[in-house]
Structure formats: C-alpha cells, structure tokens
Amino acid sequence: AGVGNPLVIAMPLKSSKKFKPLLLIAILISGIFSAAYLLGWSTLLTVNEVRIQGSTATEVILSELRRRELEPIAGQKLARVEIRSVKRVLSDLDWLSSAEVSRNWFSKRIEIKVVERVAVARALTERNLLVNFDSEGLIFNPTSSNQLKGQDLLPLVSTAGDSRTDLVYIAKLLKQMPNELNYLISDLDQISVTKAGYIIMSTKINGQFVRINWGNIDQIEQKFSVLQQLLKLPENRGLEQVDLSE
C-alpha cells in the first residue's frame, strides 16, 4: 500500500500540467472571438455622433465622403469606420490645409478636425474660374462660407500671357518667400505678370506702398537676399520701387 500511493498522486499532476495550456489557449481564442464580435457586429459599439470642427462647409465634407462610400453615420459599427481612408480623402481636398480623424470608443464619436486654407490673393483662370492662393503659394478653389465671403477684399492677380503658367510662377514666388519677408504677402495689394513673364508686386514696406519688379522666377532665392540687403540700408527707408529683374 505504501508503494502504490506515489503512483496515485503522480497521475493527476501530469494531467493537470497538460490541461492548463489547453485551458489558456481556449480562453485566449474565446477572448479573441468575443472582441471581434463586440467590435464588428455587436450593437453595443456603434457610432453615436459624427462631429466636424474647423469648417462651415460640413455638408461639402460629408458629401465628398458619401461619394467615396466612406461617410460615417450614426448607428454604424464603430470599428468599421475607415479612419485612414476618411483622412486620406479629406487631405486631398485642395481647400483644406490639414485634416485629422479619430475614433472615440468611450463617447462612441467620430471626430473630424480640419483646417481651411486662408487666401492671400485671388485670380481668374483661362476658363474664367476663381481660384485662390494661400501664403504657401498653393492654389485652391474657395469653398466654405469663410473662404467665399472675403473674396472682394483679396488682391487680384492679373496676367498678360499664359495664365496657367503665370499662376504657377506666382505660386512659386509665394511659396518660396522667406519668413523674414512674409509681411510682403500679408500687406499685398496687387500682383501681376507681364507678357515677358516678369512678376510685378505692389505691397507695403514700413507702411508705405512699394512696387517690386521681381523679373522672372529664375534665381528667385538670390533676389530675396538682394531685397533684404537693400532694405537694411538707411537710405532705402522711403523706397517706392525696386527693380530685381536684372
């Protein structure tokens, strides 16, 4: 009887050691299936609200998402909202400078935060369509009420040649403008392109209107440096025009 006791005790221990990993695997698989059901099919986690911040053109945004079959709607499974795809579509809208999209599991809310482009000038294309420039020289179509209401106050870009090429030149000028000269854009009154491709800018320096002939877009960075050096000279404080075309 004394010899048999250890055998009786040893057998359950071996079975127990084999059973524990199987139990853990079963629990893990059950947890994965439960989570998948909860996220993908359960009505417990559905969209309660879609909130758009940063733009008055919310219907335009939703309409574009609807056209791409990506519009998040109340009652939709929260996990099935394609956050990255929604962000990609909004980032492609030229009148928006940025877009962020997030999913809040606790409030069951889809949050869309956008930043609209702010125009510094306007122009008419060869098709007589209105386009705007922002401070980075990017061309966009004004869309929201905020963008449309101030159009008459924006300086108008006029061209004498190929308007499409001229607009590209102006966009490049604005985009490459150094931070030290950004006030030239903020105080911009008018900008035009001659038949020879020379960019003429009317703006303010020290509160006084100044006419700047940038010439063509070639070597524009060097011209920025020349202008900055000229403006540092005391005798140029009352400057009315600058010719950088040569």
Side-chain angles (χ1 to χ4, degrees):
V3 176
N5 286 339
L7 294 174
V8 175
I9 296 172
M11 290 301 291
L13 282 175
K14 290 182 179 180
S15 299
S16 176
K17 287 180 180 180
K18 291 181 180 180
F19 178 73
K20 285 182 179 179
L22 294 175
L23 179 61
L24 291 175
I25 293 172
I27 293 173
L28 181 61
I29 293 174
S30 176
I32 292 173
F33 276 104
S34 297
Y37 172 77
L38 184 64
L39 294 175
W41 287 275
S42 173
T43 58
L44 294 176
L45 291 177
T46 56
V47 177
N48 275 351
E49 179 187 5
V50 178
R51 179 178 296 180
I52 300 177
Q53 297 177 325
S55 176
T56 55
T58 56
E59 185 51 42
V60 175
I61 292 173
L62 292 175
S63 178
E64 180 64 19
L65 293 176
R66 194 179 305 126
R67 188 176 71 85
R68 302 290 190 93
E69 298 182 350
L70 290 170
E71 180 189 11
I73 57 176
Q76 180 182 0
K77 302 299 184 293
L78 200 57
R80 295 191 178 185
V81 177
E82 299 180 41
I83 298 296
R84 291 182 180 178
S85 297
V86 171
K87 180 179 179 179
R88 185 179 64 252
V89 168
L90 297 183
S91 298
D92 288 341
L93 296 178
D94 65 358
W95 57 281
L96 296 178
S97 63
S98 67
E100 294 295 332
V101 185
S102 63
R103 172 175 31 218
N104 191 313
W105 296 102
F106 296 102
S107 63
K108 302 178 184 179
R109 180 190 303 135
I110 299 297
E111 296 181 347
I112 299 174
K113 296 181 181 180
V114 299
V115 177
E116 296 180 348
R117 294 196 185 280
V118 178
V120 297
R122 61 193 170 102
L124 291 175
T125 67
E126 66 273 11
R127 296 181 180 179
N128 207 34
L129 298 175
L130 179 69
V131 294
N132 284 177
F133 294 86
D134 69 2
S135 60
E136 296 181 349
L138 294 172
I139 302 173
F140 67 95
N141 296 298
T143 301
S144 73
S145 58
N146 287 335
Q147 292 172 331
L148 292 170
K149 68 183 179 183
Q151 291 298 308
D152 293 340
L153 302 177
L154 292 173
L156 179 65
V157 174
S158 58
T159 65
D162 183 349
S163 62
R164 178 177 298 177
T165 302
D166 292 343
L167 293 181
V168 171
Y169 288 160
I170 293 173
K172 187 174 181 180
L173 171 71
L174 298 178
K175 187 174 184 178
Q176 294 187 348
M177 187 77 68
N179 292 333
E180 296 81 6
L181 293 176
N182 264 344
Y183 63 88
L184 298 179
I185 299 176
S186 302
D187 295 329
L188 185 64
D189 177 59
Q190 185 179 3
I191 189 167
S192 61
V193 183
T194 68
K195 287 185 178 180
Y198 287 7
I199 302 174
I200 311 297
M201 174 186 284
S202 177
T203 185
K204 284 184 179 181
I205 298 176
N206 297 323
Q208 179 177 330
F209 279 107
V210 177
R211 183 178 182 271
I212 303 174
N213 181 356
W214 294 100
N216 55 44
I217 199 65
D218 296 338
Q219 299 179 320
I220 193 62
E221 293 184 0
Q222 182 178 341
K223 294 175 183 179
F224 290 145
S225 298
V226 171
L227 179 59
Q228 286 178 286
Q229 294 302 317
L230 288 174
L231 295 177
K232 289 179 181 179
L233 299 176
E235 59 267 29
N236 288 332
R237 288 183 178 178
L239 207 61
E240 293 184 357
Q241 58 181 340
V242 181
D243 189 350
L244 301 170
S245 61
E246 297 180 359

